[in-house]
Amino acid sequence: KQWYQRRVRGTEIEHKTYDATFLRRFEITKLPRYLILFVKRFTENRFFVEKNPTIVNFPISFDMAEFIETKVSDKYKSTEYNLLSNICHEGRAKGGTYSTHLHLSS
């Protein structure tokens, strides 16, 4: 048995397809002024919290054109976002410190 659901919410359209495996896809319909990306670094189960040690490299410039449809990108002069800041956690999952790195242009 398979069925499909489409829901429109503000700046995105959510597409869901249900069958033996679950697929969820979001379609961006409007670009925000600021793009905030969050990478989930911690996993938790009933016994412990664990931090993912993978190093993540962020580009200084990020173009959303390849992630949105042409009809959306045509509405904007630019689909490019520049990195303004990055928040880093150093230490273990249960403790540590956060530091903020700002990219200042001259």
Side-chain angles (χ1 to χ4, degrees):
K1 183 176 180 179
Q2 181 178 0
W3 59 280
Y4 175 80
Q5 176 185 2
R6 181 175 187 250
R7 182 170 60 173
V8 178
R9 288 188 285 167
T11 60
E12 65 187 28
I13 299 173
E14 181 180 7
H15 300 272
K16 292 181 183 177
T17 303
Y18 297 92
D19 57 9
T21 60
F22 176 76
L23 174 67
R24 185 180 215 175
R25 180 176 68 95
F26 290 92
E27 178 182 334
I28 299 171
T29 58
K30 181 180 175 187
L31 292 177
R33 183 172 178 177
Y34 297 99
L35 182 66
I36 299 170
L37 301 176
F38 172 76
V39 178
K40 186 174 178 182
R41 302 291 298 204
F42 301 97
T43 56
E44 184 176 355
N45 63 29
R46 294 193 328 184
F47 304 107
F48 59 90
V49 177
E50 187 176 35
K51 181 179 177 182
N52 182 340
T54 305
I55 295 173
V56 178
N57 294 311
F58 291 94
I60 298 295
S61 180
F62 182 72
D63 193 357
M64 287 289 291
E66 65 182 276
F67 302 103
I68 57 177
E69 291 191 23
T70 308
K71 65 182 179 184
V72 176
S73 64
D74 288 345
K75 296 177 187 176
Y76 298 94
K77 260 193 302 189
S78 175
T79 56
E80 193 170 297
Y81 288 86
N82 294 319
L83 180 67
L84 299 177
S85 68
N86 184 26
I87 301 172
C88 297
H89 178 267
E90 297 173 18
R92 294 190 205 157
K94 290 282 187 176
T97 58
Y98 287 92
S99 59
T100 303
H101 305 266
L102 298 174
H103 181 264
L104 302 175
S105 58
S106 52

